[in-house]
């Protein structure tokens, strides 16, 4: 995780900054040399302990090929929600019951699904999951079946790529089969499709390259120093300037800052101190979820007004009480609400006075977790209802996902086409708020802002412009826009 192009910095900070007598790290051998070097630079002692797997695991010589060949204890690993929905539906058609685990589910729901799958008295004997099973869950899996070996990733430049999974990922997932603590004392690994099996064997047999560098992220103090010398620069631009000027030695790299800059642009118009703005921008949000993004905006707005975000306010905001999901879209909306409550709790650790009701929000989150658990328990019914109402078209969604997550070349082609379609407007003089409009339209097109939030932003922007206009026409200023500088008493 420490070399993750977007999130590695958080692990570096934890490793180097935790106030503890001892820090215990779990990971693969590829991280040992780097961690040891980093610790030596801080004068720490490092003790390395190596452990061997206690149960055997084997890669089968035949693929599953059909869901008719499923056996109790099987886990099908998918790398997209659409595949999760599709496989779950096909299993249900065959009269079997499956548990479902994927990354955006609340922790309580994941644990409930794991318990259901592990229970020998439960009729659920099949698990459909993403690579979320790789960490933090104890599962009694006999056989891991890779539904696909292709996983969307983000490279160091922030570009989306579709590549085969890495050896580290394959080993982490395959290693879930036949765990020592489970009822299966031997593990098996295979693929869904016959043509993927040779690639899986090749991936698993590759040598894992040692990790060369750990991720870094500019601190609030560093950004404040830059802001002192560049007082009129936005936070997003400060980040760009900082990264351009940064020089790091071979043990570190600067992480991709796109998510931070996205949040910075989202709340740029809200009056906040630079330190507070920085903290809001480091909040872990999924920018693909419009409700979570608009919630970050709303939380920042409330903070700027010095209005505490109370339990009763948040209940009204998320429209509590919440009804059980009737279809897949409802279930995804509830997952987004759960993430908003997570965001509140994350901010409550940083701003206790403005987010004062953390304990009450935790209770609310547990209640919501229960509602989501019921929805996931009945996920095949929700899929059927969604298909019946054409809210979920698994084939078209899957194709859409593939095109959205295509490589850099396609992304560049789309950008070129986009430029051509705007060619007729290129000659027009830019309006004063062209930057805001282009950002707003981009966010709406990507589904990151709702129309209501956009209207609210436009209203606030117009209000600010009117206030600036009043300032310009006050005594001592020129109405044409350049304010006359008052001569200081002690100036030359």
């Amino acid at each position: 995780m420490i070399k993750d192009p977007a999130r590695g910095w958080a692990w570096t900070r934890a490793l180097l900054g935790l106030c503890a007598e001892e820090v215990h790290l779990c990971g693969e051998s590829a991280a040992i040399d780097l961690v040891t070097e980093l610790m030596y630079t801080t004068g720490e002692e490092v003790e390395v302990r190596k452990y061997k797997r206690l149960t055997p695991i084997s890669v089968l010589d035949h693929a599953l090929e059909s869901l008719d060949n499923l056996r109790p204890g099987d886990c099908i690993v998918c790398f997209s929600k659409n595949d999760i929905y599709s496989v779950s539906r096909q299993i249900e058609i065959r009269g079997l019951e499956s548990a479902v685990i994927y990354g955006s589910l609340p922790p309580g729901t994941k644990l409930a699904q794991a318990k259901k799958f592990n229970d020998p008295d439960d009729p659920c004997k099949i698990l459909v999951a993403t690579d979320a099973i790789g960490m933090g869950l104890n599962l009694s899996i006999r056989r891991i079946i890779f539904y696909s070996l292709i996983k969307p990733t983000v490279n160091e430049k922030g570009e989306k790529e579709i590549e085969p999974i890495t050896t580290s990922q394959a080993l982490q997932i395959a290693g879930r089969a036949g765990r020592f603590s489970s009822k299966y004392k031997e593990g098996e690994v295979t693929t869904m499709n016959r043509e993927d099996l040779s690639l899986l064997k090749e991936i698993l047999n590759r040598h894992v390259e040692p990790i060369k560098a750990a991720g870094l992220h500019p601190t609030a103090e560093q950004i404040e120093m830059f802001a002192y010398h560049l007082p009129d620069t936005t936070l997003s631009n400060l980040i760009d300037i900082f990264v351009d000027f940064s020089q790091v030695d071979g043990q570190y790299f600067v992480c991709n800052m796109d998510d931070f800059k996205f949040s910075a642009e989202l709340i740029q118009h809200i009056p906040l101190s630079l330190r507070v703005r920085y903290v809001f921008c480091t909040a872990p949000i999924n920018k693909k979820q419009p409700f979570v993004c608009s919630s970050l905006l709303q939380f920042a707005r409330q903070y700027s007004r010095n209005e505490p975000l109370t339990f009763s306010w948040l209940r009204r905001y998320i429209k509590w009480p919440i009804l059980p999901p009737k279809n897949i879209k409802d279930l995804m909306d509830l997952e987004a609400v759960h993430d908003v409550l997570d965001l509140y709790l994350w901010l409550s650790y940083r701003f206790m006075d403005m987010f004062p009701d953390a304990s009450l929000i935790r209770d609310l989150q547990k209640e919501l977790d229960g509602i989501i658990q019921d929805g996931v328990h009945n996920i095949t019914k929700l899929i059927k209802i969604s298909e019946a109402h054409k809210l979920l078209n698994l084939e078209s969604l899957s194709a859409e996902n593939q095109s959205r997550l295509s490589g850099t070349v396609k992304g560049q082609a789309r950008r070129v086409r986009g430029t051509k379609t705007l060619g007729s407007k290129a000659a027009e003089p830019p309006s004063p708020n062209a930057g805001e409009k282009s950002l707003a339209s981009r966010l709406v097109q990507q589904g990151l802002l709702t129309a209501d939030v956009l209207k609210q932003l436009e209203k606030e922007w117009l209000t600010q412009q009117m206030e600036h206009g009043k300032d310009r026409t006050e005594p001592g200023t020129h109405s044409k826009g350049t304010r006359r500088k008052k001569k200081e008493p002690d100036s030359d």
Side-chain angles (χ1 to χ4, degrees), residues 206-390:
R206 286 177 193 160
H207 174 68
V208 181
E209 293 295 324
I211 297 173
K212 300 294 186 184
L216 288 179
H217 186 292
T219 64
E221 292 79 11
Q222 289 169 324
I223 297 302
E224 283 177 335
M225 178 187 68
F226 263 62
Y228 177 79
H229 296 284
L230 301 165
D232 299 323
T233 309
T234 65
L235 179 55
S236 179
N237 287 342
L238 284 171
I239 288 293
D240 281 336
I241 296 168
F242 183 92
V243 172
D244 287 343
F245 277 85
S246 293
Q247 292 183 337
V248 292
D249 65 26
Q251 292 179 330
Y252 298 98
F253 68 92
V254 179
C255 284
N256 179 277
M257 305 293 293
D258 285 352
D259 287 351
F260 185 97
K261 288 167 57 182
F262 170 84
S263 297
E265 291 176 352
L266 194 64
I267 64 172
Q268 180 56 42
H269 71 289
I270 297 175
L272 296 167
S273 70
L274 185 63
R275 178 63 67 103
V276 169
R277 191 181 300 279
Y278 176 94
V279 173
F280 268 90
C281 292
T282 54
I285 65 167
N286 183 351
K287 63 182 184 181
K288 294 178 184 177
Q289 294 181 326
F291 185 57
V292 179
C293 297
S294 60
S295 297
L296 179 73
L297 193 65
Q298 188 63 39
F299 288 1
R301 185 181 291 120
Q302 287 285 112
Y303 187 102
S304 71
R305 294 170 181 160
N306 202 28
E307 297 175 3
L309 289 90
T310 61
F311 176 66
S312 57
W313 180 90
L314 193 62
R315 275 173 59 100
R316 289 194 303 273
Y317 176 72
I318 63 174
K319 296 180 172 61
W320 192 270
I322 288 174
L323 297 174
K326 295 178 182 177
N327 50 56
I328 289 295
K329 183 183 179 301
D330 287 351
L331 181 61
M332 294 172 71
D333 288 344
L334 294 188
E335 291 168 12
V337 174
H338 193 278
D339 285 351
V340 169
L341 300 183
D342 260 344
L343 175 62
Y344 181 101
L345 293 172
W346 189 91
L347 290 166
S348 73
Y349 286 112
R350 279 91 184 159
F351 308 111
M352 294 182 184
D353 54 337
M354 296 300 289
F355 296 82
D357 294 330
S359 59
L360 294 172
I361 299 303
R362 282 193 197 90
D363 293 338
L364 197 68
Q365 199 176 42
K366 285 179 184 176
E367 196 173 336
L368 175 59
D369 200 339
I371 297 171
I372 293 174
Q373 282 181 40
D374 292 339
V376 173
H377 181 70
N378 299 311
I379 195 164
T380 50
K381 292 179 183 176
L382 300 184
I383 294 169
K384 272 196 275 188
I385 294 169
S386 298
E387 286 177 332
H389 291 82
K390 297 185 178 180

Side-chain angles (χ1 to χ4, degrees), residues 41 57 68 75 79 84 105 122 135 271 288-289 329 337 353 390 394 403 408 436 438:
T41 63
I57 188 168
D68 294 329
C75 171
F79 294 114
I84 290 271
L105 287 177
D122 196 292
M135 285 184 254
K288 294 178 184 177
Q289 294 181 326
K329 183 183 179 301
V337 174
D353 54 337
K390 297 185 178 180
L394 294 172
S403 64
T408 311
E436 287 85 352
S438 63

Side-chain angles (χ1 to χ4, degrees), residues 97-137:
E97 194 174 335
S98 63
V100 174
I101 295 174
Y102 51 87
S104 59
L105 287 177
T109 304
K110 290 177 188 170
L111 290 172
Q113 289 292 296
K115 184 179 179 182
K116 178 181 172 68
F117 173 71
N118 289 339
D119 187 353
D121 298 324
D122 196 292
C124 171
K125 302 299 180 189
I126 309 295
L127 177 63
V128 184
T130 64
D131 52 347
I133 62 167
M135 285 184 254
L137 292 171

Side-chain angles (χ1 to χ4, degrees), residues 183-194:
K183 63 183 178 182
Y184 302 114
K185 301 309 175 190
E186 291 186 17
E188 297 174 340
V189 185
T190 188
T191 59
M192 182 70 190
N193 302 308
R194 189 187 308 171

